Amino acid sequence: MELSGTVLWGDDFEPVQGTLVVEDGEILRLDEERVDSDDIVVPAFVNAHTHTGDSIAKEAGRGLSLEELVAPPDGLKHRLLREADRADLVAAMRRSLSYMADTGTTTHLEFREGGVEGVRAIREAGEGVDVESVVFGRGDPDVLDVADGYGASGAGDGEFGSQRTAAREAGKPFAIHAGEVDASDINPALDLDPDLLVHMVHAESLHLDRVEDSEIPVAVCPRSNLVTGVGLPPVSDLVDRTTVALGTDNVFLNSPSMFREMAYTAKCCDVGAVDVLRMATTAGAELLDANYGTIEAGREARLFVLDGDSDNLAGYRDAVRAVVRRAGAADVKRVVSP
């Protein structure tokens, strides 16, 4: 396979005009040359934090607080999930996964409610959809028998020591929400020595020091934080301290569009376009120790192609800024995934 156009090459997404050569799902080389193509070739997105189960209730809960929306066990989301017919739930999740696959996301980190059955439901939803679901289960530790990791709701919701121990013994990652509403649950979350923190909206200097010292990566979801009214994460400070990946969070609050998440983050969080694109691609792959997220020789070919001559993108001057701040679903011409 050959893809011609402007290729965002390497860790810094250098825009190089040429032809990218892919064979058997692996990037072989980039032939730098003049080409007759306006396409922009971009590493595929890794959505670092999703809850797709609430795809059954998009835009529900107007006027409710964060706790009323999502706090277990009786927040609106949890009540709707309990009431949902399983077939309807699976079908709704499949629609969200299909949207991700069509818009350049080839991997997502799914925080799945419902224990073992919840994990099985997202696996079923993903059958035949070209997106990889890395599933962080929730509930009893036995969810780790079927999940890829454990995704705790937050240290303020209960004790998670046994789940943390079980994840460690299973050799699987443990992730936890922290600092979304306030700072009170951040230190208890850090005490669990997690492999991933989510949100960290209210992280203070002490917390940032601990994150940096422990080299704990963070997934941020600025659009979700905006909608729930909890504030914005200190993205720039976090980027200076650790690996920061971008996620879209609950589908009933926001579409799982990494384009929208990037544009909002770039315009509201004091962080440059290169860093934002890295958060949406490379950083998420690093969380999974995966050999993709960057366009380089020897990497797995997970990519998407934008029409640089679309009505939306025609006339751009800076390819990375165009991808991060301007591009959208309608500009995607092709998604490549092994």
Side-chain angles (χ1 to χ4, degrees):
M1 178 195 310
E2 295 185 350
L3 301 171
S4 295
T6 298
V7 179
L8 301 187
W9 179 258
D11 289 337
D12 294 326
F13 309 108
E14 179 186 0
V16 179
Q17 190 176 79
T19 300
L20 189 70
V21 181
V22 175
E23 186 173 301
D24 296 327
E26 180 181 310
I27 298 169
L28 293 186
R29 66 180 187 274
L30 173 59
D31 295 331
E32 189 171 351
E33 58 189 3
R34 292 184 60 84
V35 295
D36 185 21
S37 172
D38 295 303
D39 289 349
I40 306 172
V41 184
V42 187
F45 296 130
V46 179
N47 190 333
H49 187 65
T50 61
H51 292 273
T52 62
D54 46 35
S55 299
I56 57 169
K58 297 169 185 173
E59 304 306 323
R62 178 191 295 184
L64 298 183
S65 68
L66 177 63
E67 290 85 352
E68 292 169 324
L69 285 168
V70 301
D74 294 320
L76 175 64
K77 178 180 78 170
H78 299 280
R79 299 199 308 273
L80 293 172
L81 288 174
R82 285 196 296 269
E83 296 165 2
D85 176 80
R86 187 181 188 281
D88 292 341
L89 177 66
V90 170
M93 289 193 293
R94 182 175 292 120
R95 298 292 294 267
S96 290
L97 295 177
S98 296
Y99 177 83
M100 285 192 270
D102 290 343
T103 55
T105 296
T106 61
T107 311
H108 72 119
L109 280 63
E110 168 70 9
F111 285 58
R112 186 70 189 98
E113 303 81 5
V116 169
E117 180 54 35
V119 175
R120 288 175 175 158
I122 186 68
R123 301 283 193 218
E124 182 179 337
E127 292 175 1
V129 182
D130 201 10
V131 61
E132 179 184 3
S133 297
V134 180
V135 184
F136 287 73
R138 187 175 292 184
D140 293 335
D142 63 359
V143 75
L144 289 162
D145 293 338
V146 294
D148 301 301
Y150 192 92
S153 57
D157 296 328
E159 297 291 334
F160 290 98
S162 61
Q163 291 90 337
R164 180 64 184 104
T165 299
R168 186 177 286 113
E169 291 175 348
K172 295 182 177 182
F174 176 87
I176 187 167
H177 297 67
E180 187 174 9
V181 177
D182 56 43
S184 63
D185 63 353
I186 299 179
N187 278 327
L190 287 165
D191 291 342
L192 291 166
D193 188 27
D195 299 292
L196 175 65
L197 292 164
V198 181
H199 292 305
M200 295 293 280
V201 175
H202 297 281
E204 299 168 358
S205 295
L206 170 64
H207 308 127
L208 295 172
D209 289 342
R210 291 190 67 183
V211 165
E212 183 175 15
D213 291 343
S214 301
E215 298 181 339
I216 301 172
V218 176
V220 296
C221 311
R223 282 190 306 151
S224 173
N225 302 148
L226 172 73
V227 171
T228 57
V230 297
L232 289 176
V235 178
S236 181
D237 290 336
L238 287 165
V239 167
D240 289 341
R241 303 290 194 111
T242 190
T243 299
V244 181
L246 201 59
T248 60
D249 207 7
N250 299 80
V251 174
F252 84 141
L253 298 178
N254 287 298
S255 71
S257 167
M258 292 296 279
F259 288 113
R260 291 190 178 188
E261 202 70 40
M262 287 195 304
Y264 181 74
T265 302
K267 294 175 182 179
C268 297
C269 294
D270 191 28
V271 61
V274 169
D275 283 332
V276 172
L277 186 54
R278 188 174 292 119
M279 290 162 60
T281 57
T282 314
E286 289 177 354
L287 298 184
L288 303 174
D289 195 26
N291 189 32
Y292 50 79
T294 305
I295 302 178
E296 292 177 330
R299 297 277 190 169
E300 189 175 326
R302 298 196 183 205
L303 320 160
F304 64 89
V305 180
L306 293 173
D307 180 2
D309 193 40
S310 68
D311 290 340
N312 181 39
L313 295 179
Y316 76 84
R317 297 298 182 92
D318 183 315
V320 175
R321 282 173 59 89
V323 171
V324 168
R325 299 166 64 94
R326 184 174 297 272
D331 302 310
V332 177
K333 291 179 66 173
R334 179 179 187 180
V335 179
V336 177
S337 180

